[in-house]
Amino acid sequence: NFPISEAFQDQNYPVVIHVQDQYYVFWHDMRYYSPDRSIFGSRVTVTGVVLDTLGRELMRDRTEWLDAAFDGANFLVAFQDSC
């Protein structure tokens, strides 16, 4: 076990995809201390080195569920907003 994100506030509901020699981790993140959840992502090597230690913000809105997929060439990160 090792942390992917140590940002202030809650980070939860991770989705992990393994592609070639890296893991891609996406999660809900509350670091901006608002009712809105952001979606962040980070790359992690197979040896456990977190390459994006702060994560990369992909979306900031009132997101609900989160999922991700890879088709061999493209990533798709899907989520539902609060509508």
Side-chain angles (χ1 to χ4, degrees):
N1 294 331
F2 57 91
I4 303 295
S5 173
E6 295 185 26
F8 183 70
Q9 296 297 346
D10 293 335
Q11 292 84 44
N12 48 38
Y13 306 114
V15 174
V16 180
I17 297 174
H18 182 255
V19 177
Q20 296 171 351
D21 289 335
Q22 288 188 1
Y23 292 96
Y24 293 83
V25 183
F26 305 96
W27 67 90
H28 283 159
D29 196 297
M30 296 290 290
R31 73 179 68 181
Y32 295 116
Y33 198 68
S34 71
D36 295 346
R37 286 187 206 114
S38 296
I39 294 175
F40 273 74
S42 183
R43 297 166 298 151
V44 180
T45 68
V46 294
T47 59
V49 176
V50 179
L51 299 176
D52 307 299
T53 56
L54 298 177
R56 294 183 182 193
E57 185 178 38
L58 304 175
M59 174 69 176
R60 188 185 304 185
D61 202 353
R62 294 175 185 251
T63 59
E64 297 296 327
W65 61 266
L66 168 68
D67 206 351
F70 181 71
D71 69 0
N74 302 292
F75 282 100
L76 173 65
V77 178
F79 61 92
Q80 177 181 350
D81 67 15
S82 62
C83 294

